[in-house]
Amino acid sequence: QKGRKSIAYLQKLKDEGIPIVQMCPANRDQYFTMAAEMADCDVCRLTVPAENIEMSIAHAPWWIRTVRNAAKIIHINFYMQTPTFASKEKALEYGSMYMAEGADSLLPMGVNNETLKYMADNHLVVFGHVGALSGWQTARHGGYKRMAQTAEDAMKVFRMAYEYQENGMMAMTIELTPIEVTNAIAKKLRVPVISIAA
């Protein structure tokens, strides 16, 4: 019987130079997550299949329990809908509920440093996310596209990642940045770093 893949487990992989494997299931079900766990995948980026944000927020506790009951070991990194961290108090309220229901870490994509620090200071395990953001958050960048292709933009991504780390982030993903930029940032940070679509 293996224990759950906690944030400490992911940090141990980072420290030993062992690659971390993450799945991003989008609207996959609990059986897909169970299959990924059986294939020894380390992290499941979990979202709630729903027609809109309100339904997603309402169904989140049930969905986390459902997936956790099917997959006992994999690290569940739960994607928080933006209204659930619109204030630091909301972030603590929703984040603590999600972790109590079985999430191992939380992904408030695009969170500000003040809210991140408040969550971390109150014992929540927060994943950061830099590079390309998802959904409506891509609008300010002109859509979903590759980031950090110039030295100046690469430094902006690194600065955000470093500030996240210093404000309590315990792991992070870097999305749609060149592999050279991703690798350079991963080597500079203490925390586990996972690349998406480098």
Side-chain angles (χ1 to χ4, degrees):
Q1 177 67 42
K2 296 181 180 178
R4 237 157 83 177
K5 294 185 174 181
S6 66
I7 195 70
Y9 173 85
L10 298 182
Q11 186 65 56
K12 185 172 185 287
L13 294 182
K14 158 89 174 190
D15 294 342
E16 294 177 359
I18 300 171
I20 298 169
V21 179
Q22 173 180 292
M23 59 170 279
C24 295
N27 290 334
R28 308 277 185 205
D29 61 21
Q30 67 270 36
Y31 304 109
F32 189 92
T33 306
M34 183 171 59
E37 178 178 272
M38 292 170 70
D40 207 26
C41 183
D42 299 306
V43 181
C44 166
R45 166 74 47 81
L46 186 63
T47 59
V48 181
E51 292 180 16
N52 56 52
I53 290 177
E54 285 185 359
M55 286 178 62
S56 179
I57 294 170
H59 295 161
W62 165 80
W63 186 240
I64 294 168
R65 283 195 312 273
T66 298
V67 174
R68 175 54 74 201
N69 286 336
K72 305 284 189 183
I73 298 168
I74 200 167
H75 183 100
I76 294 179
N77 174 229
F78 186 70
Y79 175 83
M80 295 178 70
Q81 293 288 350
T82 306
T84 65
F85 59 95
S87 70
K88 61 185 186 181
E89 292 80 14
K90 277 192 172 185
L92 179 59
E93 176 187 350
Y94 282 98
S96 57
M97 176 174 58
Y98 297 153
M99 291 196 72
E101 295 293 353
D104 295 295
S105 62
L106 307 164
L107 176 67
M109 192 177 289
V111 67
N112 64 50
N113 287 329
E114 180 187 1
T115 299
L116 168 58
K117 187 173 189 321
Y118 188 76
M119 294 172 76
D121 286 349
N122 284 281
H123 313 292
L124 297 179
V125 178
V126 184
F127 248 72
H129 187 99
V130 297
L133 299 177
S134 295
W136 63 270
Q137 293 170 315
T138 64
R140 61 183 283 194
H141 302 293
Y144 196 67
K145 61 183 182 180
R146 188 166 291 278
M147 307 295 289
Q149 296 191 84
T150 67
E152 182 181 356
D153 287 344
M155 282 305 298
K156 286 179 184 175
V157 173
F158 171 69
R159 189 175 298 114
M160 184 176 183
Y162 181 77
E163 287 176 0
Y164 272 179
Q165 175 183 266
E166 297 308 294
N167 281 286
M169 175 199 71
M170 299 187 76
M172 68 172 302
T173 47
I174 304 179
E175 186 167 2
L176 270 175
T177 61
I179 192 65
E180 297 83 3
V181 173
T182 303
N183 286 341
I185 293 173
K187 288 176 184 174
K188 291 286 185 184
L189 297 182
R190 298 183 303 272
V191 300
V193 175
I194 298 168
S195 171
I196 301 175

